[in-house]
Amino acid sequence: MKTVQRILLWILFVVVLCAALIGGVFYYLYDQTVMQAKPPVLTFAGQDLPCTSYHWEQPVLGGIMTRPFDAQVSAVPLETLTSPQVRFEAPEDGSCEVKLYYAEEKTPLFAASGSADWTLTKNGDYRVEILYTQAAKDRNQGSGWFRYDVPFTLDAEPSVTLSAESIPQGGVVCVTVTGILDDSVPTIQSDLCPAVFVNTEQGTRAYLAAAYNREPGEYTITVTCAGRTFTPTVQVIHQDWPNRTTTPSDTGGSLTEWQNAIFPTYDLMTPEKLWDGVFQVPISTQKTAEYGEYLRGADGTLIGRSAGIGYATGPGATVCAGAGGKVAYAGTLSMTGGTVVIDHGAGLKSYYYYLGEVSCSAGQSVAGGGVIGKTGSADLHYEARIGNQSLNPELLFSEQSPFFR
């Protein structure tokens, strides 16, 4: 009996010893197991996102057991973003859930399940929250998740562009402001002419005209928006205008009457674009005068300049509005006969002189091609102005001009 007991005790001892050895080996292997995965590199707006927490299960002894690894660190804000266009990129070997929040709002502005492109619509503080999960592909690979909860600030300034660096006398430059991410309304000043910004599909735009007699040279345009000031410049280029011999006209009309009627229209700066598409000519007849011409008498004496285009007419021909707008003046003046002024918005107006009959009234909205009157015995005179500065009306008829590009 004692022999049997000794054998059993010996066996028990061996079993305990083996168990202790095996346990020790397991403990040693468990203790020496390290996390073999690194937080995946995720980029947001070109910056690597810092991982703020993770949980990882690392296999031990071929997956017989796993050792968990956990960590949590304070979030480090990204460098301030200066562009509202952001791109998020993540590796494709895991699954990813992304949410973007503005300030303290609880509802995400954007959500995605992988790489994505977003356009932020206002400046301020944001937070991007990402949960990236990696599943084990076999028993020897670990699995877990990585969380990125990172704040950042967007401070994007608007962008100001010009349609051209130089324009001829009689030309127009379009000033476009994009990237306005707050409620700022841009303002514009220059020595060219008054102007006002209007919202278009291409951005917030203003138009500046250089009249036929504008002194050539460089002009500074001052745009103020979102607390910032931009000062692009445009070069006005001299034009060689033609001469035309004509007979001085003396209508005997009252200059004061004309000024009292027309000058107030120069100040119209409607902050809305009322036209759509290329203008049509007011009447399809031969031109009798070109914009910018020097008007001279038979002896070569300078009489004046042509601020618009003349069209040959006979009495009773239909005159149409070049484009949509609102009639700013309609009536008969002793100096220019039947006269109509249409405000097209954004500071742009068109002027129709020497009508024999006016068939619209002030305050009336007109569409492009709408009848506004009929011709009289004198040639129709057609002008276009921004503020009080004339521009070559031919620009209104070309889809390549700054008004329509």
Side-chain angles (χ1 to χ4, degrees):
M1 179 65 69
K2 289 182 178 180
T3 301
V4 174
Q5 289 179 342
R6 290 192 184 100
I7 294 173
L8 290 176
L9 288 173
W10 176 252
I11 293 174
L12 179 62
F13 172 76
V14 171
V15 170
V16 172
L17 180 60
C18 290
L21 289 172
I22 294 173
V25 170
F26 268 83
Y27 177 79
Y28 176 81
L29 293 176
Y30 181 90
D31 185 63
Q32 295 300 309
T33 297
V34 296
M35 180 176 172
Q36 296 179 6
K38 293 182 179 180
V41 178
L42 312 182
T43 61
F44 186 84
Q47 301 183 52
D48 291 349
L49 291 170
C51 180
T52 53
S53 63
Y54 63 79
H55 173 78
W56 186 258
E57 297 284 343
Q58 183 65 44
V60 180
L61 287 175
I64 295 178
M65 60 187 302
T66 60
R67 180 179 178 180
F69 292 88
D70 294 275
Q72 185 167 353
V73 297
S74 299
V76 178
L78 295 178
E79 294 182 5
T80 299
L81 306 189
T82 58
S83 171
Q85 281 75 41
V86 296
R87 175 163 179 77
F88 167 71
E89 294 181 306
E92 296 181 356
D93 55 350
S95 61
C96 188
E97 295 297 327
V98 191
K99 294 179 182 179
L100 184 66
Y101 298 87
Y102 179 74
E104 300 299 324
E105 294 180 1
K106 304 300 182 183
T107 303
L109 289 174
F110 304 106
S113 56
S115 298
D117 293 284
W118 294 313
T119 299
L120 308 181
T121 58
K122 53 186 174 180
N123 284 328
D125 296 326
Y126 290 80
R127 180 171 59 87
V128 59
E129 181 183 284
I130 304 160
L131 181 63
Y132 188 91
T133 305
Q134 281 186 302
K137 296 180 180 179
D138 57 49
R139 294 179 58 188
N140 294 314
Q141 289 189 332
S143 62
W145 53 260
F146 300 87
R147 184 179 296 278
Y148 303 75
D149 193 346
V150 184
F152 67 92
T153 299
L154 174 66
D155 185 19
E157 70 174 26
S159 174
V160 178
T161 57
L162 304 184
S163 59
E165 294 180 354
S166 62
I167 58 173
Q169 291 172 321
V172 170
V173 61
C174 173
V175 183
T176 303
V177 181
T178 55
I180 303 175
L181 300 186
D182 54 23
D183 297 328
S184 297
V185 177
T187 59
I188 183 170
Q189 291 182 331
S190 81
D191 290 334
L192 291 174
C193 71
V196 63
F197 278 105
V198 297
N199 293 324
T200 72
E201 293 180 355
Q202 294 76 29
T204 302
R205 289 185 161 183
Y207 304 92
L208 296 168
Y212 58 75
N213 57 353
R214 174 60 62 188
E215 188 72 22
E218 185 177 84
Y219 289 82
T220 298
I221 301 168
T222 302
V223 176
T224 302
C225 182
R228 297 171 171 88
T229 299
F230 305 86
T231 55
T233 59
V234 63
Q235 193 81 16
V236 175
I237 307 300
H238 171 76
Q239 290 285 95
D240 291 324
W241 302 104
N243 293 278
R244 180 165 60 91
T245 301
T246 185
T247 302
S249 60
D250 183 11
T251 61
S254 169
L255 177 61
T256 300
E257 177 197 40
W258 180 86
Q259 291 176 336
N260 289 339
I262 300 303
F263 278 12
T265 67
Y266 293 162
D267 297 328
L268 292 175
M269 287 290 156
T270 303
E272 182 181 1
K273 180 173 172 284
L274 303 178
W275 79 87
D276 183 22
V278 177
F279 282 50
Q280 66 179 59
V281 295
I283 188 169
S284 299
T285 59
Q286 183 178 357
K287 289 189 289 187
T288 59
E290 296 285 356
Y291 175 81
E293 287 181 331
Y294 289 95
L295 307 178
R296 299 186 182 277
D299 60 355
T301 303
L302 181 63
I303 299 173
R305 300 288 297 274
S306 173
I309 298 176
Y311 292 94
T313 61
T318 298
V319 178
C320 298
K326 188 175 182 179
V327 177
Y329 178 83
T332 300
L333 300 172
S334 58
M335 195 167 80
T336 53
T339 300
V340 173
V341 181
I342 299 177
D343 175 15
H344 301 287
L348 177 63
K349 283 88 61 177
S350 57
Y351 295 76
Y352 308 76
Y353 295 124
Y354 305 113
L355 296 170
E357 177 184 326
V358 174
S359 56
C360 59
S361 57
Q364 175 184 340
S365 294
V366 294
V371 177
I372 59 172
K374 293 184 177 181
T375 57
S377 58
D379 291 347
L380 175 69
H381 182 73
Y382 178 73
E383 292 183 8
R385 292 178 180 269
I386 296 176
N388 62 346
Q389 298 296 298
S390 67
L391 58 100
N392 192 339
E394 294 289 353
L395 293 173
L396 301 178
F397 311 139
S398 170
E399 62 182 10
Q400 298 303 314
S401 80
F403 287 113
F404 312 111
R405 281 191 306 218

